[in-house]
Amino acid sequence: MAGRACALAGDRDLASEYYEEFLLRIHGCPIPELVDKVRQTLPMDLNNVESTYEYIGGRNSFGSILHRVNNNIVFYTKIQINFENYSKELFFYKNRKKLLTNRFNSPDLIGEITIDDMNYLTISFLKGTPAGLDNVADVVRAAVSIASAGDVWRMSVHNKDCTLKVRSRSLTSIIRFFSCIDQKSVNDSLVDDLRICLEKTTHAVEGRQVLDRLAAIVQGKMAYKLLDVSRHFSVVHGDFFPCNISIDESSGEVNVIDWASLMLGLKSIDIATYLCRLKFNFSDIKKHALSGFPEFFESPVDRVFFVYTVIAMNICLLRTSDAHYQYNSRIVNDVLLPAIDYFEQEFSLIAS
């Protein structure tokens, strides 16, 4: 749609105009009237609350209704058209207190309503500052906490079948593969797609050498057969990027938002997503994950597939322009080569 195209292009104002027009067509009423309908679902006195529709960014957002007291946002209403994502997020907010430990903060559910097949989910606003390098251990600990929440999640969260396709520089496309990486066909498709990603990069030769070594184990020795879904998979956030993580200004605790991608997957996928997005060298990835949380990575199978994820994500991050030659060199030399060495060493321990 036009609004999403403008959002992708970074034109917030034009995206907002298109989204407002879209909501007007769907609901057949002006935006202020829609805002009032949502306000009526909120279980509180709203006399001192000012509510306005605004588009504040995001490629898959239809905008939000922001609710302010004295010009400060206290909660906001997410507008969603994807019922599956809405259901996952609603499930999380309704059950989070009995499912999670107090390792991090997440929003409280304020209210929810579906109007004309559009979903309106109102949650508390968590004020925070971007997580920095000093907070990496705390953020990884939050990801470990999510993956360790228990079997209740498994009974309630189901993955929807989706098309698996690696898109250049899209870690989200890699995440989807690792929701079903225990299947032969998924591993075959991932390796094939990564080969295509490598074709036009400045380091295609070096990348193919790494991928060949990876494929020799993943496909040749059928490493995926080592995976036991009951042990090596868990419910994961599924969108564990820095934009969804902040640090509470008063307590210093980790805030984690946007639970619409909740899914079953390799239990370390959130950790890999976060550390790879920070563009860490493999030595730092080992320090913050494998060495930092040895109990979580006690199984060599968990270590092997975590590194498999790191390799796939970093191949995906390689770029095609000569202007990114040094960037690609760093990924190859400081991430891919030491990662594939570690991958082979750990797999040899399992095989022996």
Side-chain angles (χ1 to χ4, degrees), residues 122-335:
T122 303
I123 54 180
S124 59
F125 178 76
L126 298 181
K127 182 179 287 187
T129 57
L133 295 180
D134 292 341
N135 309 115
V136 173
D138 292 330
V139 174
V140 175
R141 186 174 293 108
V144 168
S145 178
I146 295 167
S148 305
D151 290 337
V152 177
W153 292 83
R154 298 175 185 274
M155 295 183 290
S156 306
V157 178
H158 305 281
N159 295 337
K160 181 180 178 182
D161 292 337
C162 60
T163 301
L164 297 176
K165 182 70 177 176
V166 174
R167 300 191 307 277
S168 179
R169 300 197 302 280
S170 170
L171 297 191
T172 301
S173 66
I174 298 291
I175 293 169
R176 294 194 182 106
F177 278 91
F178 283 88
S179 67
C180 43
I181 201 65
D182 57 317
Q183 301 173 27
K184 178 182 184 301
S185 60
V186 172
N187 286 272
D188 291 344
S189 295
L190 177 56
V191 170
D192 289 346
D193 281 6
L194 290 174
R195 290 194 190 282
I196 294 172
C197 273
L198 282 168
E199 285 179 357
K200 296 181 180 180
T201 67
T202 59
H203 288 65
V205 173
E206 298 93 330
R208 279 196 296 269
Q209 291 171 348
V210 170
L211 187 56
D212 287 344
R213 292 167 66 183
L214 181 75
I217 293 175
V218 169
Q219 295 175 300
K221 297 186 178 180
M222 296 181 287
Y224 53 86
K225 287 191 173 183
L226 296 168
L227 288 170
D228 178 348
V229 172
S230 66
R231 293 180 57 204
H232 306 297
F233 279 47
S234 69
V235 170
V236 294
H237 182 277
D239 198 19
F240 207 72
F241 290 100
C243 60
N244 290 326
I245 301 162
S246 64
I247 303 300
D248 185 271
E249 295 175 347
S250 57
S251 68
E253 295 177 342
V254 175
N255 298 328
V256 183
I257 63 169
D258 198 352
W259 293 83
S261 298
L262 199 68
M263 68 176 189
L264 286 168
L266 191 71
K267 70 179 190 178
S268 60
I269 190 68
D270 286 343
I271 302 172
T273 300
Y274 184 72
L275 297 179
C276 289
R277 177 52 72 195
L278 292 182
K279 301 178 182 176
F280 278 156
N281 295 339
F282 187 65
S283 58
D284 290 324
I285 291 173
K286 283 174 58 180
K287 179 180 74 173
H288 290 298
L290 299 168
S291 300
F293 294 87
E295 291 183 1
F296 186 75
F297 289 103
E298 183 178 4
S299 164
V301 175
D302 287 327
R303 296 195 294 272
V304 162
F305 276 84
F306 171 71
V307 177
Y308 179 4
T309 312
V310 168
I311 292 171
M313 287 185 167
N314 277 275
I315 288 176
C316 180
L317 289 174
L318 289 171
R319 301 189 179 187
T320 58
S321 169
D322 288 342
H324 295 105
Y325 186 90
Q326 293 301 323
Y327 169 87
N328 287 348
S329 293
R330 185 198 66 80
I331 289 180
V332 169
N333 295 318
D334 296 340
V335 184

Side-chain angles (χ1 to χ4, degrees), residues 66-115:
L66 305 182
H67 308 274
R68 293 182 171 91
V69 175
N70 297 326
N71 291 324
N72 294 313
I73 301 172
V74 290
F75 43 94
Y76 65 104
T77 302
K78 299 180 66 174
I79 304 174
Q80 298 174 317
I81 199 171
N82 184 312
F83 184 75
E84 184 201 9
N85 289 353
Y86 169 73
S87 298
K88 287 181 178 181
E89 194 157 16
L90 184 59
F91 164 79
F92 170 79
Y93 290 125
K94 285 185 173 180
N95 294 278
R96 68 182 181 89
K97 289 185 179 179
K98 62 183 179 184
L99 293 175
L100 296 178
T101 60
N102 295 320
R103 296 287 184 155
F104 61 91
N105 299 322
S106 58
D108 291 317
L109 176 66
I110 306 298
E112 48 94 11
I113 187 174
T114 298
I115 307 173

